[in-house]
């Protein structure tokens, strides 16, 4: 499902216009992004948790040359699905 299809589903499920549904989806994504940027964790009970995970510096390998390369430490967004969501998907 792409964003256009998601907007259509949300609009029909919530009884709102597509413009309003897209605005709500954009606001939802922006709010989660801002919270993660600030280092907060976003917990949606029954759905899952969005959080930022720290990745330490490590040594990788350039596949073309075989040369060792240092990959710098970074932060990466992560999503952990709730037990309820996992059970629903597996039914």
């Amino acid at each position: 499902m792409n964003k256009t299809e998601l907007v259509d589903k949300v609009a029909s499920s919530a009884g709102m216009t597509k413009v309003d549904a897209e605005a709500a989806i954009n606001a939802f994504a922006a709010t989660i992004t801002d919270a993660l940027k600030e280092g907060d964790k976003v917990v949606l009970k029954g759905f899952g948790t969005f959080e930022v995970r720290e990745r330490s510096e490590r040594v990788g390998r350039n596949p073309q040359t075989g040369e060792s390369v240092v990959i710098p430490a970074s932060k990466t967004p992560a999503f952990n699905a709730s037990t309820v969501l996992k059970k629903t998907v597996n039914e």
Side-chain angles (χ1 to χ4, degrees):
M1 175 182 297
N2 62 31
K3 185 175 178 183
T4 304
E5 294 166 340
L6 179 63
V7 168
D8 291 342
K9 292 268 187 184
V10 169
S12 64
S13 295
M16 55 185 3
T17 67
K18 290 182 183 180
V19 172
D20 290 341
E22 184 172 10
I25 290 168
N26 290 340
F28 175 77
T31 302
I32 290 176
T33 301
D34 290 344
L36 294 178
K37 205 186 281 189
E38 293 173 9
D40 293 337
K41 186 186 287 192
V42 179
V43 180
L44 301 173
K45 192 171 182 167
F47 185 71
T49 304
F50 295 91
E51 63 186 347
V52 175
R53 294 188 183 147
E54 305 269 341
R55 297 189 73 184
S56 58
E57 184 177 274
R58 60 199 188 281
V59 177
R61 188 178 65 82
N62 182 332
Q64 291 182 333
T65 64
E67 178 183 349
S68 292
V69 180
V70 175
I71 301 169
S74 64
K75 296 178 184 178
T76 186
F79 175 74
N80 187 22
S82 73
T83 305
V84 174
L85 180 59
K86 290 176 186 176
K87 283 181 183 178
T88 303
V89 169
N90 285 306
E91 287 180 349

